[in-house]
Amino acid sequence: MAAKPRDPEAMLDTILLLAGDAERPVLAEALRRAEPGIRVVAAGTVRDLPDTLETARLIAFVFPEIVPAGVLQRLGYGAYNFHPGPPEYPGWIPAAFALYDGAARFGATLHEMTSWVDSGTICDVEGFDVPADCALQGLESLAYAACLRLFERWAEALVSPLKPPRLPLRWGARKCTRRLFAELAQVPEGASEEEGRRRARAFGSGPLDI
C-alpha cells in the first residue's frame, strides 16, 4: 500500500519521540530547544502515539518496538531511527554479532524508517574503533554514546520540515535476529577452545529473554 500523498499545506508542527524512560525527557527537551515552536509528544510505546499524524515526524531512539507500517504511511514528514550499530549490522543486539565477527570498527546509524526493520535510507553514521578487550555491555554502551552524538548533531535538522541528506550506503545482508543470537549463544559439541571464547565474549552475557 502506497503512502498517502502529503498535503503541501500541512506544515510540520509535531515531533513524535519514541524512547526509553530515561531518554524521553532529556531528548524531548533537546528537541524543544532546537525549535521552540514545535510540539513534542514523547511516548514509551507505539500505543501511546496520537491518531493525527499528517503534520508529524517520528523519531525513534534505540527503541525496541517495531512501528507498524500503517503508522509510518500516515506520517506527513516521515520517520527516523537511531540504530545502535553501523549499517553492516542491522537488527537486534548488533554489538554481539560484531564482537563474534571480531569487527575492528562499530558505530551507530541514523536512517529513514520503512516497514522493514533497519532497511531505510541511511542519513549518517557515527563510527569508532572497537577496544581490544571490549565485551558486550561495553560495546553496547559505546554504541549508545554514538547514538547520542548523532542525535545532538541532527536534532536541529530533524525538527525542520526538510529531510536530512541521504548517504550512498547499504545495509549489511545478514540481519541480526533473536533466533540467530540464541543459536550462536550455544557452543556446539566439538567446538574449538577459540570458538568457545568467541561465543562467550559475544553472547555469554546477553539477555536471557530471547
Side-chain angles (χ1 to χ4, degrees):
M1 177 180 176
K4 182 180 178 181
R6 177 171 59 84
D7 181 352
E9 300 298 321
M11 295 300 294
L12 174 68
D13 62 15
T14 302
I15 297 294
L16 307 175
L17 174 65
L18 289 172
D21 293 343
E23 294 86 2
R24 281 200 304 277
V26 177
L27 300 183
E29 182 57 30
L31 293 168
R32 294 186 184 103
R33 287 198 307 270
E35 177 50 70
I38 204 78
R39 172 180 176 238
V40 179
V41 177
T45 177
V46 174
R47 296 191 307 272
D48 294 334
L49 294 176
D51 293 329
T52 303
L53 304 175
E54 289 74 15
T55 59
R57 170 174 288 161
L58 177 72
I59 298 173
F61 185 86
V62 193
F63 189 71
E65 284 187 49
I66 295 176
V67 179
V71 172
L72 297 175
Q73 290 164 357
R74 290 162 51 211
L75 290 160
Y77 286 84
Y80 295 85
N81 180 51
F82 289 87
H83 170 67
E88 294 85 354
Y89 291 94
W92 191 72
I93 312 190
F97 296 88
L99 287 174
Y100 180 69
D101 291 343
R105 295 276 295 174
F106 200 62
T109 306
L110 170 62
H111 66 94
E112 296 179 7
M113 296 177 71
T114 68
S115 57
W116 294 96
V117 174
D118 296 340
S119 62
T121 300
I122 295 166
C123 303
D124 197 8
V125 177
E126 176 75 9
F128 57 84
D129 292 334
V130 177
D133 59 348
C134 196
L136 179 56
Q137 184 175 359
L139 189 55
E140 286 190 308
S141 295
L142 291 172
Y144 180 85
C147 284
L148 288 174
R149 292 195 295 273
L150 277 177
F151 184 91
E152 182 176 335
R153 187 150 73 231
W154 288 103
E156 188 171 339
L158 288 172
V159 296
S160 161
L162 301 177
K163 287 186 175 183
R166 298 176 169 190
L167 297 180
L169 299 176
R170 294 183 179 274
W171 289 97
R174 181 187 63 184
K175 186 80 74 174
C176 307
T177 66
R178 284 174 166 82
R179 176 178 294 180
L180 185 55
F181 185 105
E183 290 176 1
L184 291 173
Q186 303 298 319
V187 180
E189 186 177 352
S192 66
E193 185 176 343
E194 179 184 355
E195 178 67 12
R197 283 197 300 267
R198 285 179 64 199
R199 296 196 183 206
R201 180 192 181 204
F203 307 104
S205 58
L208 299 177
D209 55 338
I210 57 178

